[in-house]
Amino acid sequence: CNLRFAPSPTGFMHIGNARVAIINYLFCRKNGGKLLLRIDDTDVLRSKKEYEESILRDLEWLNISHDSFFRQSERIERYRQVLLQLIEKGVAYKCYETQEELEFKRKNAIVKGRPPVYDRASLQLSETEKKKLESSGVSHYWRMKLPAKTVSWNDLVLGSISYDLANVSDPVLVKADGTFLYTFSSVIDDFDSNITHIIRGQDHVTNTSVQLAIFDEISQSKFNVDFAHLSLFVNKDGSQFSKRLGSLNIGNLRDIGIDPMAICNLLATLGSSLDISYFQSMSDLESYFDLLKFSSNSPKFDLDDVLKINKKLLHSKMYADFEKILGKGFISEKAFNVIHQNIETLNDFKEWNYILSNNFKPDFLMSDADKNTLKIAVEIFNSCYEFTPYVAEKALLNISKKADVSGKSLYRPIRNAITYQEHGPNLIDLLCIIGKEEVLRRLALAQVSTVNV
């Protein structure tokens, strides 16, 4: 099988784009196929190199590889060739309306209770009228006349789909500025690349009916492609999902320390009857993935689900796994063993590396009662030769007795003073790994805090 992922470099990759990429990749690899990465950059004004580079970087980070690659901007001559074929067949025709005129027609049709379908007014123009318009400076664009028929296919997700092309506007093939439209160029690319499966969002269903009609005009053979249109996300409260939320930019998720497999595990199952998975590699996830388990119901996307999966994945990794991700020396193995189960994102390692260093300088908020506990802690810790688990535990018991505190009243001020965290790893382990001298330095700083709470 041959599949393609075809992002447009008109913005950064968001979670919806990533879902399509992940599902195409998993289906392709599971079925021993080839994946084409096609950059749909015919929109010259909106396409930017920085977006293309970002897309490539995000795909690599998500461990999504491809077998072939090209940009649509490299195939303009091929699109012109096919356009000429359609002109010669008499199915491509010139149109002269402006965007304002088309919008007026659309609104007028809706007001009158008719479907907002292009009225084919330009087909009624004589050659003389066309020449007069062109000589007066009116630019033309190209549409294809759709046949009067119903287009049907069996969708791998949505089931049986039928579209009466009488309810669809003749597609624009080329804009007045010479730009080829996605609807047209995509069909040519799919045909030339021998694509066998097209997996994309449900918002492309109408495009599919039109593109099947276009294919019939450019080829005498049957378009043997299986379509799968994935239902679109909704928010956790069921409201419409906005794909342009900045927090759902893949680059942003990477920056806040999300493991790529957290995203892949969720998006490979969300919207299907499969349970959420926790695989550490794409090859393992590939074996579990099943496109036929997806339904037409709109899945609810919640960023908290990504964070929960991320936490579980990180907790199941070993020190060597993190060395591959973050590089050697990202934190000592001894420190890792203490803090590992308190890590929720990859960025937490950076924070804990700072907390455990001798450069740590938090802002302290200590009540007078807490300062008294810390004063006693300094006295007792000073009497210790060095911190070991046994010595630290005994010292805490002595502090509890002398300060007449226990539980949170004992542990919270000490933990806050040495880590500026309300919660975290076992306090005895923290005392041992930070070390006696550094603990005493931090307790001394906390005692001179001028802010009382």
Side-chain angles (χ1 to χ4, degrees):
C1 61
N2 296 315
L3 290 92
R4 46 78 159 178
F5 175 57
S8 297
T10 55
F12 297 110
M13 183 183 289
H14 54 71
I15 204 75
N17 298 139
R19 182 192 188 207
V20 173
I22 290 165
I23 291 177
N24 268 278
Y25 175 84
L26 293 172
F27 182 89
C28 181
R29 296 297 181 243
K30 185 168 186 174
N31 291 281
K34 300 291 185 181
L35 181 64
L36 162 68
L37 174 59
R38 188 183 76 211
I39 301 297
D40 288 1
D41 59 348
T42 55
D43 188 338
V44 178
L45 293 178
R46 296 176 59 218
S47 295
K48 295 183 179 180
K49 190 68 176 177
E50 66 183 275
Y51 292 141
E52 179 183 321
E53 292 172 349
S54 175
I55 289 169
L56 295 175
R57 183 167 59 251
D58 290 342
L59 290 174
E60 182 179 8
W61 180 70
L62 289 168
N63 297 305
I64 296 175
S65 59
H66 54 271
D67 302 290
S68 56
F69 172 87
F70 67 79
R71 302 176 183 86
Q72 286 192 327
S73 58
E74 301 165 348
R75 289 173 48 80
I76 301 301
E77 286 305 315
R78 171 60 176 154
Y79 306 148
R80 289 188 181 129
Q81 178 188 33
V82 177
L83 175 63
L84 288 175
Q85 292 174 9
L86 297 184
I87 293 172
E88 290 172 359
K89 290 183 66 174
V91 295
Y93 63 97
K94 291 181 179 180
C95 296
Y96 295 87
E97 296 90 352
T98 64
Q99 283 297 320
E100 292 75 14
E101 291 170 333
L102 290 172
E103 182 62 19
F104 175 79
K105 288 185 177 185
R106 189 186 73 83
K107 291 180 177 179
N108 190 46
I110 293 174
V111 168
K112 293 182 178 180
R114 299 196 305 263
V117 176
Y118 178 62
D119 59 10
R120 293 179 172 173
S122 290
L123 276 175
Q124 310 306 316
L125 295 174
S126 65
E127 289 302 317
T128 300
E129 289 173 318
K130 292 178 184 178
K131 289 179 181 179
K132 184 177 179 180
L133 285 169
E134 292 174 4
S135 63
S136 64
V138 177
S139 300
H140 68 271
Y141 63 99
W142 292 91
R143 288 184 187 264
M144 190 191 91
K145 185 178 179 180
L146 292 173
K149 69 175 184 179
T150 297
V151 173
S152 302
W153 71 93
N154 185 40
D155 197 277
L156 296 178
V157 172
L158 302 179
S160 180
I161 302 288
S162 293
Y163 259 86
D164 184 351
L165 294 180
N167 297 320
V168 183
S169 291
D170 289 343
V172 176
L173 307 180
V174 190
K175 294 197 295 186
D177 64 2
T179 301
F180 287 91
L181 270 291
Y182 163 85
T183 306
F184 182 50
S185 57
S186 181
V187 173
I188 300 169
D189 291 336
D190 291 338
F191 172 56
D192 290 349
S193 303
N194 192 31
I195 298 301
T196 61
H197 295 77
I198 295 176
I199 303 173
R200 54 188 179 183
Q202 191 174 333
D203 50 335
H204 284 282
V205 168
T206 303
N207 283 342
T208 296
S209 65
V210 171
Q211 290 175 322
L212 284 169
I214 295 174
F215 185 87
D216 286 343
E217 295 295 345
I218 70 174
S219 172
Q220 299 301 315
S221 61
K222 180 175 173 55
F223 193 22
N224 292 315
V225 172
D226 286 322
F227 288 92
H229 291 89
L230 304 169
S231 52
L232 304 181
F233 289 146
V234 294
N235 291 309
K236 60 181 179 180
D237 61 1
S239 62
Q240 186 175 1
F241 185 83
S242 175
K243 67 183 182 181
R244 297 190 182 280
L245 290 176
S247 62
L248 300 181
N249 178 309
I250 296 301
N252 287 346
L253 294 178
R254 179 174 61 247
D255 291 343
I256 65 173
I258 300 298
D259 186 288
M261 284 308 300
I263 298 172
C264 292
N265 275 290
L266 179 63
L267 298 187
T269 55
L270 194 61
S272 76
S273 59
L274 294 168
D275 292 331
I276 292 177
S277 54
Y278 299 92
F279 296 108
Q280 292 282 5
S281 71
M282 289 296 275
S283 59
D284 290 337
L285 179 56
E286 170 192 311
S287 301
Y288 181 69
F289 173 79
D290 188 347
L291 182 64
L292 298 182
K293 297 290 186 180
F294 282 75
S295 75
S296 59
N297 297 325
S298 296
K300 294 181 180 180
F301 179 85
D302 187 350
L303 185 58
D304 286 342
D305 290 334
V306 177
L307 298 174
K308 289 175 184 176
I309 297 172
N310 192 68
K311 181 178 178 180
K312 187 165 183 176
L313 287 176
L314 296 186
H315 287 180
S316 64
K317 289 182 186 293
M318 305 298 288
Y319 182 70
D321 298 322
F322 287 105
E323 282 192 321
K324 294 176 182 177
I325 300 170
L326 302 172
K328 290 188 178 296
F330 71 98
I331 202 167
S332 72
E333 188 166 4
K334 183 179 179 181
F336 171 83
N337 292 332
V338 171
I339 68 171
H340 182 203
Q341 295 305 308
N342 292 91
I343 294 297
E344 296 188 4
T345 73
L346 292 170
N347 288 352
D348 289 345
F349 283 116
K350 183 185 296 184
E351 182 179 2
W352 275 103
N353 203 17
Y354 169 61
I355 290 173
L356 298 178
S357 75
N358 291 343
N359 296 319
F360 180 66
K361 295 179 181 179
D363 295 321
F364 299 105
L365 299 173
M366 291 289 169
S367 67
D368 287 338
D370 285 345
K371 288 182 179 180
N372 181 62
T373 299
L374 297 185
K375 180 180 178 181
I376 293 172
V378 168
E379 294 174 4
I380 293 176
F381 285 159
N382 257 320
S383 66
C384 300
Y385 176 71
E386 63 179 4
F387 284 153
T388 64
Y390 173 78
V391 170
E393 182 178 14
K394 188 174 180 179
L396 289 172
L397 288 173
N398 290 336
I399 296 168
S400 176
K401 292 177 183 178
K402 189 168 183 178
D404 193 23
V405 293
S406 61
K408 289 184 179 179
S409 297
L410 168 65
Y411 295 110
R412 181 184 52 77
I414 297 175
R415 180 186 299 280
N416 191 270
I418 66 174
T419 68
Y420 200 49
Q421 305 286 321
E422 289 291 332
H423 307 282
N426 181 280
L427 182 58
I428 292 174
D429 290 336
L430 282 173
L431 292 171
C432 294
I433 200 167
I434 293 174
K436 173 185 170 182
E437 295 304 320
E438 179 61 17
V439 166
L440 289 172
R441 183 186 73 84
R442 297 182 187 192
L443 294 180
L445 285 175
Q447 287 184 78
V448 297
S449 168
T450 58
V451 181
N452 292 327
V453 294

